[in-house]
Amino acid sequence: MARIELNGIQKRWGEVWGVRDVNIDIADEEFLVLLGPSGCGKTTTMRMIAGLEEPTEGDIVMDGETMNDIDPRDRDVAMVFQGYALYPNMTIYENIRFPLRMRGVPRAEHDAHVRRAAGLVEMADYLDRKPSALSGGQRQRAALARAIVRQPQVFLMDEPLSNLDAKLRQAMRVQIKHIQRELKITTVYVTHDQIEAMTLADRIVIMQSGLIQQIGTPDEIYNDPANTFVANFIGSPPMNLIEGEVSGGVFTAPGVKVPGMPAHVSGKVTLGVRPEDCHVTEGDIDLTGEVYGVEPTGDVTYLTLQAGEKLFEIKADRTYRAPLGATENVRFDAERIFLFDGETGERLRRE
Amino acid sequence: MASQRRKRGENLIIRYLILGAWALFCLMPVLWFLSIGLRPRVEIITPQPIYWPTFSLDAWHMIWEDWPMAKYLRNSILAIFGSVLIDLVLGIPAAYSLARYQYRGRDDIAFYILSTRMMAPAIVAIPIFFLFRNAGLLDTIWALMLIYAAINLSFVTWIIRSYMLDIPKELEDAARTDGASDLRILWEIIIPAILPGIITASVIAMIFAINEFLFTLLIASTPNAYTMSVALANFTGGSDGVIYNAIALVAFLAFVPVFLVVVAIQKHLSRGLTMGAVKGG
């Protein structure tokens, strides 16, 4: 049971900034995902929670106790690494038992703990193998078992699925979430994969260049992005961001004309609309463009339209087909249009 | 298909022939020593070529019966293994520190350690003699262990360090969050992972040590501390002249222990030599 507070965390190596200013309050039993592109400071933040890095400024507080000067081995955290980090000279059994030995768990209890953890991740049949004799997915499950074997206060997972193939990744994702719910252990999970973040998280923290861009539930992040970075990072394909001009309540850009803008908005504005909120239509038109590409995937067809220099992504009906170069008209869901400041990229909210 | 298969077979034969010839070429001095060591003394110094050599155990009897060769051999082996042990006990923690901890001047210190190999040994020969004399260690195996260890410590440290640098840092981070102390990590994670490197460094240290002559001669004044390499010198002078067959046989005997060790651990050694010693050293 652990609540983690990160208060004004900064990390700097000389002139290089890792993390600039991070404030997060992680609730007990929460599944928190740190999401961002590589180099955004998410792994550094996690390593500071683990105690593998010391913050330059700020406090890490667990259950009311400041942990800054506490050694990793005296923090009750367990970590799963991107490269699995299984000890190559030990069998899987010994790997899973290692934390128990190090933490002074009575020897008599080891076997039961190891077998229970291995059972949870379906690795009971591989206990006498060496890591080198296992596949990537099995290694990852073994690493997971090593983390859960002693029931820590906090799980830390650093891109644990990024070395697995797509199918396995999805299966492991479900398994990780299930285990976390079952064990009720506060979890911080680092990834650059927005699907992983959306599916796993109670709350997502989106980071860029060492700064938090937005904290919120997956729904909040998807439905109410704080700026163009978040809007562009979440969603697949990403949100269409159209740079244009608002005057007299009408947004205009090459091929795009959207009326009904709020009265207080004018000047340079970026309009955002998700591909799933665009509809090919004959009626009211917001966008006109030429068909640049049509990609059927089975359950949905991706349509790319060109208007001026810009390409627009539209999620069309699965039966949609059109020849290249044809002119298509598109209507945006008026409720699902986002406006961002043309200079700063910050969200312009309706009043 | 058929012609291709035959071609591959021919290639294989040619490869074996070339490699076999090369191995024979490399082994030539060893075989030559053995052949000299097992022939009568007269036959070796005769100017005429000999096509059918005579087998003789003269030199064999001479080195064991007239000289305390068993003692020399024992001294060599004890001094060498002792020195390698000292090197590992000191070198492994030093290498770990130089590979993993952050502190000012770390890389400079690593270089200073290596730089001790760069001076000519003769420069320190006289001071070392006085040092050991004052410590009362002259003419003992302990002194040999210490001096061999001192000579080899720098590169043992460097080789092991270069292996440690190759270990993924994640492994140590994992052990640390699992609750292991630094010494535990070194003992349970690092050392097993770099075993090939430790073996490689040990073998190279052994080879240097068994060939060491200058300091051994300086420190050892009686058969108490004579080693094989100094014993060889015994046969080059004196009233009997240069006793070539005895020299050859002693040289061969000095070669045997190292050879046996290397054969025994060959698997680790070949992996070790290619894995880090050359690349990172």
Side-chain angles (χ1 to χ4, degrees):
Chain A
M1 311 312 106
R3 174 169 167 234
I4 309 168
E5 294 159 72
L6 306 180
N7 298 328
I9 299 291
Q10 296 185 5
K11 179 67 186 182
R12 212 175 23 202
W13 295 274
E15 293 299 297
V16 184
W17 284 92
V19 172
R20 280 168 191 274
D21 183 26
V22 163
N23 293 282
I24 312 174
D25 196 338
I26 307 168
D28 187 25
E29 297 183 23
E30 180 170 11
F31 200 122
L32 186 91
V33 172
L34 301 176
L35 175 67
S38 53
C40 74
K42 55 190 193 298
T43 296
T44 307
T45 304
M46 168 174 281
R47 290 174 61 84
M48 286 189 282
I49 299 174
L52 296 169
E53 305 274 357
E54 251 181 80
T56 316
E57 294 280 335
D59 289 326
I60 294 166
V61 182
M62 285 187 198
D63 282 336
E65 192 187 347
T66 305
M67 303 300 271
N68 287 25
D69 299 329
I70 309 277
D71 232 35
R73 64 185 161 124
D74 297 323
R75 302 182 186 199
D76 200 2
V77 302
M79 192 155 168
V80 179
F81 294 84
Q82 183 174 3
Y84 319 136
L86 293 171
Y87 310 125
N89 52 302
M90 301 181 196
T91 61
I92 297 305
Y93 186 93
E94 284 302 320
N95 263 282
I96 300 174
R97 193 166 83 105
F98 189 76
L100 302 176
R101 282 202 291 130
M102 293 303 120
R103 305 250 174 191
V105 174
R107 190 167 276 272
E109 299 172 20
H110 287 188
D111 192 62
H113 281 301
V114 170
R115 291 189 188 280
R116 189 188 57 89
L120 263 177
V121 297
E122 293 156 33
M123 285 295 289
D125 296 340
Y126 302 96
L127 287 175
D128 52 351
R129 302 255 190 112
K130 287 273 179 76
S132 56
L134 296 181
S135 71
Q138 291 167 334
R139 285 180 208 187
Q140 190 53 72
R141 290 214 295 274
L144 207 57
R146 189 177 63 187
I148 63 187
V149 70
R150 62 186 174 81
Q151 301 259 17
Q153 299 268 330
V154 180
F155 273 152
L156 303 174
M157 305 197 186
D158 185 8
E159 309 222 10
L161 305 182
S162 62
N163 288 351
L164 304 180
D165 65 55
K167 210 170 167 184
L168 202 54
R169 205 178 310 164
Q170 205 221 328
M172 285 293 296
R173 214 165 63 201
V174 176
Q175 203 167 13
I176 285 177
K177 190 166 185 175
H178 183 81
I179 290 172
Q180 194 265 344
R181 288 282 184 271
E182 199 153 291
L183 301 178
K184 300 188 194 323
I185 291 173
T186 312
T187 301
V188 180
Y189 186 106
V190 161
T191 183
H192 62 262
D193 183 323
Q194 51 120 353
I195 301 280
E196 261 173 45
M198 296 292 281
T199 51
L200 287 170
D202 292 324
R203 281 192 305 160
I204 298 175
V205 178
I206 298 198
M207 296 182 70
Q208 187 202 14
S209 315
L211 285 169
I212 292 179
Q213 301 296 311
Q214 188 171 2
I215 304 181
T217 66
D219 285 342
E220 284 167 5
I221 299 263
Y222 179 84
N223 291 320
D224 194 11
N227 54 38
T228 49
F229 178 80
V230 175
N232 193 43
F233 204 81
I234 294 285
S236 167
M239 184 185 283
N240 293 301
L241 293 171
I242 311 158
E243 289 167 11
E245 199 105 15
V246 172
S247 72
V250 179
F251 175 90
T252 47
V256 183
K257 197 167 186 181
V258 187
M261 294 295 120
H264 68 282
V265 174
S266 69
K268 282 189 74 177
V269 165
T270 301
L271 183 145
V273 59
R274 296 199 182 277
E276 46 271 43
D277 299 325
C278 300
H279 308 284
V280 179
T281 178
E282 301 298 328
D284 298 336
I285 298 163
D286 293 321
L287 159 69
T288 306
E290 285 185 359
V291 175
Y292 182 86
V294 176
E295 302 164 279
T297 65
D299 61 337
V300 65
T301 302
Y302 293 110
L303 163 65
T304 310
L305 287 185
Q306 184 168 24
E309 296 284 290
K310 195 150 164 49
L311 295 177
F312 296 87
E313 287 286 338
I314 291 143
K315 254 187 201 171
D317 194 74
R318 66 190 168 89
T319 56
Y320 176 86
R321 298 290 184 274
L324 292 193
T327 303
E328 282 289 13
N329 296 324
V330 171
R331 184 177 52 79
F332 302 152
D333 249 337
E335 297 293 303
R336 308 280 303 165
I337 289 173
F338 304 100
L339 296 177
F340 303 95
D341 189 296
E343 303 288 338
T344 63
E346 288 304 312
R347 177 80 174 280
L348 300 171
R349 292 177 192 278
R350 292 167 194 267
E351 294 196 332
Chain B
M1 273 317 275
S3 68
Q4 243 179 359
R5 200 177 300 157
R6 202 181 62 227
K7 210 168 146 200
R8 185 175 291 177
E10 280 169 10
N11 275 342
L12 209 61
I13 292 170
I14 292 169
R15 221 179 289 171
Y16 272 116
L17 278 176
I18 293 172
L19 290 176
W22 175 244
L24 196 69
F25 179 75
C26 291
L27 273 176
M28 213 53 192
V30 178
L31 298 175
W32 191 247
F33 265 60
L34 196 58
S35 110
I36 291 176
L38 296 178
R39 280 149 67 187
R41 197 177 169 196
V42 195
E43 198 176 298
I44 293 159
I45 48 175
T46 184
Q48 276 83 37
I50 292 165
Y51 299 104
W52 296 105
T54 330
F55 178 76
S56 147
L57 284 176
D58 285 357
W60 178 263
H61 291 301
M62 179 183 170
I63 62 171
W64 295 110
E65 282 152 27
D66 299 355
W67 301 85
M69 196 52 60
K71 188 158 194 186
Y72 299 161
L73 193 62
R74 193 202 63 151
N75 286 349
S76 273
I77 290 171
L78 283 180
I80 287 160
F81 281 103
S83 76
V84 170
L85 203 66
I86 294 171
D87 280 337
L88 294 182
V89 167
L90 297 178
I92 291 173
Y96 187 51
S97 160
L98 292 169
R100 279 298 189 250
Y101 291 102
Q102 302 287 338
Y103 45 88
R104 189 184 293 272
R106 184 187 71 169
D107 292 344
D108 294 333
I109 292 172
F111 182 77
Y112 297 153
I113 290 175
L114 189 67
S115 73
T116 58
R117 284 292 290 186
M118 295 176 189
M119 75 189 150
I123 294 172
V124 289
I126 306 285
I128 279 183
F129 177 79
F130 284 113
L131 212 61
F132 279 93
R133 194 191 62 181
N134 293 347
L137 285 173
L138 283 185
D139 207 26
T140 62
I141 305 178
W142 307 113
L144 295 180
M145 278 184 206
L146 285 175
I147 198 78
Y148 295 167
I151 292 171
N152 288 330
L153 186 57
S154 60
F155 83 82
V156 167
T157 307
W158 264 70
I159 291 177
I160 293 175
R161 171 174 174 260
S162 76
Y163 276 87
M164 286 178 173
L165 289 174
D166 285 349
I167 295 180
K169 191 122 199 333
E170 243 184 21
L171 220 53
E172 284 167 67
D173 288 343
R176 199 154 280 139
T177 48
D178 279 345
S181 64
D182 284 9
L183 274 180
R184 280 283 202 159
I185 293 173
L186 180 62
W187 187 248
E188 296 214 27
I189 310 293
I190 307 284
I191 289 180
I194 59 159
L195 208 56
I198 291 175
I199 288 171
T200 305
S202 306
V203 167
I204 298 176
M206 277 176 58
I207 293 171
F208 273 123
I210 203 158
N211 288 323
E212 210 294 320
F213 179 74
L214 176 69
F215 288 105
T216 314
L217 190 64
L218 199 69
I219 283 162
S221 43
T222 71
N224 247 341
Y226 273 2
T227 64
M228 298 296 274
S229 66
V230 171
L232 277 175
N234 283 339
F235 301 103
T236 58
S239 51
D240 288 340
V242 183
I243 312 166
Y244 286 110
N245 53 354
I247 291 176
L249 207 56
V250 172
F252 182 78
L253 285 176
F255 158 84
V256 168
V258 181
F259 181 77
L260 290 180
V261 170
V262 171
V263 166
I265 59 177
Q266 194 185 21
K267 202 180 88 190
H268 296 290
L269 184 63
S270 52
R271 209 176 120 216
L273 283 172
T274 53
M275 223 180 64
V278 183
K279 196 187 87 195

